[in-house]
Amino acid sequence: MSISANHAVKVAVFDLYNGIPNEGIRCIKEILRNANRRFYDIAITFDLFETRLKGDVPDLSYDIFISSGGPGDPFDGHGEQWEKNYFQTLQAIWEHNQRATENKKYLFTICHSFQLMARFFELATVTSRKSTSFGVLPVHKTPAGKNDLIFTELPDPFFAADFRDYQVIEPHKQRFSQLGAEILVRVVQFNVFGDRHAVFGDFGRAPALIEHRVAAPRAQRAADRPGQFRHAR
């Protein structure tokens, strides 16, 4: 993506909360507003698309795509039009980046979106947990994560709020190899209830999923101070 002070970076936000009140979208909007002209005086504009509720998806005129978390089963949209629209957009981003030599698109997926992305690209097993993960957990960087642009400045381990009933486990190594993808960090938990260690974040090296254009953290972005205060109440 070519960036200059004369070019406003356009961001599309997929809202996957299905109309349910949440803190995640507020946090995403707050981050984008705070980032506007903060770095190199580059303007940032964004539009919100209620993908899960209304089936709305953005076109490819955007530079960056951010896909939110959301409630419920990551398989509950199977066969529904909104999920078809969502997966078609992921495919369009992938195909664009396969063809483009510059001005490639960037995709950032969060939580529920991470599980959908893992399903779509067949990266790992997505399954329900035997027990709910709840709390602040240590996140350990892999060797690739220690050298990654985003993760390199974080301590090892770093800590993240983790509240989930579903998990992405058992990475499909052959598929990762086909896509040139890498696992950067993992959540390591005590195996009391038979749940596996969960993949926390995946980056890829093939256009869209590759060349570091897909970031997919498994953390809850709504875990800022105001969000946690509202949850506590």
Side-chain angles (χ1 to χ4, degrees), residues 3 13 29-30 38 79 112-113 115 121 124 126 141 159:
I3 298 177
V13 180
K29 289 180 177 179
E30 186 176 307
R38 181 178 179 183
H112 194 86
S113 297
Q115 297 164 351
F121 287 107
V126 182
K141 292 189 281 188
F159 292 84

Side-chain angles (χ1 to χ4, degrees), residues 159-206:
F159 292 84
D162 188 33
F163 312 109
R164 57 192 166 85
D165 292 310
Y166 295 87
Q167 59 188 354
V168 178
I169 59 173
E170 299 173 343
H172 301 157
K173 294 182 180 180
Q174 184 174 358
R175 183 62 170 159
F176 270 76
S177 179
Q178 290 173 349
L179 298 176
E182 292 179 310
I183 298 172
L184 300 185
V185 291
R186 295 175 182 269
V187 175
V188 179
Q189 297 173 290
F190 293 109
N191 199 26
V192 177
F193 295 98
D195 291 312
R196 306 290 185 88
H197 293 169
V199 176
F200 181 91
D202 298 322
F203 274 55
R205 290 188 181 277

Side-chain angles (χ1 to χ4, degrees), residues 24-66:
I25 295 298
R26 175 189 63 78
C27 288
I28 293 170
K29 289 180 177 179
E30 186 176 307
I31 289 172
L32 292 173
R33 288 174 181 141
N34 290 340
N36 183 37
R37 296 200 177 279
R38 181 178 179 183
F39 303 101
Y40 307 102
D41 198 35
I42 296 172
I44 295 177
T45 64
F46 67 90
D47 294 305
L48 187 68
F49 296 86
E50 294 194 58
T51 302
R52 200 168 168 186
L53 183 65
K54 299 179 180 179
D56 296 339
V57 292
D59 58 28
L60 292 186
S61 66
Y62 293 87
D63 303 300
I64 298 172
F65 300 82
I66 300 176

Side-chain angles (χ1 to χ4, degrees), residues 129-175:
R129 289 178 51 83
K130 296 180 181 179
S131 61
T132 299
S133 177
F134 185 92
V136 176
L137 300 177
V139 182
H140 298 266
K141 292 189 281 188
T142 66
K146 292 178 181 179
N147 296 317
D148 181 77
L149 178 65
I150 294 177
F151 287 108
T152 186
E153 297 299 325
L154 294 175
D156 190 16
F158 61 93
F159 292 84
D162 188 33
F163 312 109
R164 57 192 166 85
D165 292 310
Y166 295 87
Q167 59 188 354
V168 178
I169 59 173
E170 299 173 343
H172 301 157
K173 294 182 180 180
Q174 184 174 358
R175 183 62 170 159

Side-chain angles (χ1 to χ4, degrees), residues 206-222:
L209 188 66
I210 305 171
E211 296 180 3
H212 286 271
R213 285 175 173 82
V214 169
R218 185 59 190 82
Q220 298 283 354
R221 179 56 195 93

Side-chain angles (χ1 to χ4, degrees), residues 50-96:
E50 294 194 58
T51 302
R52 200 168 168 186
L53 183 65
K54 299 179 180 179
D56 296 339
V57 292
D59 58 28
L60 292 186
S61 66
Y62 293 87
D63 303 300
I64 298 172
F65 300 82
I66 300 176
S67 191
S68 79
D73 187 334
F75 290 92
D76 67 5
H78 182 69
E80 294 188 11
Q81 190 59 49
W82 75 263
E83 186 181 88
K84 293 178 182 178
N85 295 348
Y86 182 74
F87 284 166
Q88 286 171 2
T89 304
L90 295 188
Q91 184 66 33
I93 294 171
W94 167 271
E95 292 177 354
H96 169 87

Side-chain angles (χ1 to χ4, degrees), residues 93-126:
I93 294 171
W94 167 271
E95 292 177 354
H96 169 87
N97 284 354
Q98 293 279 24
R99 297 188 303 267
T101 56
E102 58 182 17
N103 295 326
K104 296 190 179 187
K105 309 299 181 180
Y106 290 76
L107 171 65
F108 188 85
T109 69
I110 304 168
C111 194
H112 194 86
S113 297
F114 171 84
Q115 297 164 351
L116 294 178
M117 185 275 298
R119 281 182 51 210
F120 177 73
F121 287 107
E122 300 179 334
L123 288 174
T125 300
V126 182

